[in-house]
Amino acid sequence: MAGKGFTLWFTGLSGAGKSTLSEAVAHELRTRGHSVERLDGDEIRQRLSRGLGFSKHDRDENVRRIGFVARLLSRNGAIAIAAAISPYRDVRDEIRREHDAPFVEIFVDCPIDALVKRDPKGLYAKALRGEIANFSGISDPYEPPQSPEITIHTDREDVDASRDTILRWLETRQLI
């Protein structure tokens, strides 16, 4: 289905559910016939941002690269879905300003204590022991959005309910 492109920007701490939720939204949008490209932060880091570390400068550069690709896709009619921690508010706001198509920021919110309990990869345990430097939310800042279009609380609702909240928001604004 050809249509007007836009970007869905999923931001939140590691393990909050950005990738899982963005994939669920992408799947449903594709099922409905939309052209969708999903830009996962971990995949982009391996392919487009190889060699970048986790300093503020390198994180900002990685997020800008994701934002640039999302901008190209959305202005050409695709739905770009970015799922990246993107810890710094100023860079997310910069990407929003540079977008030619609608930019929908989705804050995937989950409290640290719930993330530490989930911790499927053991990253929070390592970060809390000081074994991982520059870990967003522990040894490096994460600046939550001040006024995201959508906030999802993954500690309180399941993936299907969260996906449906996002889809209803998009339908209400006639983006889909």
Side-chain angles (χ1 to χ4, degrees), residues 7-83:
T7 292
L8 298 178
W9 192 276
F10 289 78
T11 180
L13 290 169
S14 179
K18 296 176 302 299
S19 294
T20 301
L21 183 54
S22 68
E23 183 55 46
V25 170
H27 176 76
E28 179 60 29
L29 291 172
R30 285 185 189 114
T31 298
R32 295 182 185 195
H34 295 280
S35 175
V36 178
E37 289 296 333
R38 195 170 149 272
L39 306 168
D40 186 77
D42 291 338
E43 290 179 22
I44 296 291
R45 204 167 250 294
Q46 292 173 3
R47 303 196 185 281
L48 188 61
S49 296
R50 189 180 314 218
L52 291 179
F54 291 91
S55 68
K56 180 173 184 338
H57 176 271
D58 284 0
R59 285 175 186 236
D60 288 349
E61 181 59 26
N62 182 53
V63 170
R64 284 185 180 108
R65 290 177 187 184
I66 296 168
F68 177 75
V69 173
R71 179 177 169 232
L72 292 177
L73 290 166
S74 64
R75 79 175 184 199
N76 283 289
I79 298 171
I81 298 180

Side-chain angles (χ1 to χ4, degrees), residues 125-159:
K126 289 179 182 178
L128 289 166
R129 290 192 304 265
E131 297 172 16
I132 300 176
N134 303 82
F135 193 83
S136 296
I138 303 294
S139 55
D140 209 48
Y142 174 78
E143 301 169 352
Q146 291 180 323
S147 54
E149 282 74 16
I150 304 168
T151 298
I152 299 295
H153 298 279
T154 59
D155 61 319
R156 292 185 257 180
E157 61 185 29
D158 66 19
V159 174

Side-chain angles (χ1 to χ4, degrees), residues 116-131:
V116 169
K117 286 178 188 171
R118 283 182 194 173
D119 204 11
K121 298 177 188 174
L123 298 176
Y124 281 94
K126 289 179 182 178
L128 289 166
R129 290 192 304 265
E131 297 172 16

Side-chain angles (χ1 to χ4, degrees), residues 105-126:
E105 188 173 42
I106 302 169
F107 179 31
V108 183
D109 191 9
C110 188
I112 290 278
D113 60 334
L115 295 171
V116 169
K117 286 178 188 171
R118 283 182 194 173
D119 204 11
K121 298 177 188 174
L123 298 176
Y124 281 94
K126 289 179 182 178

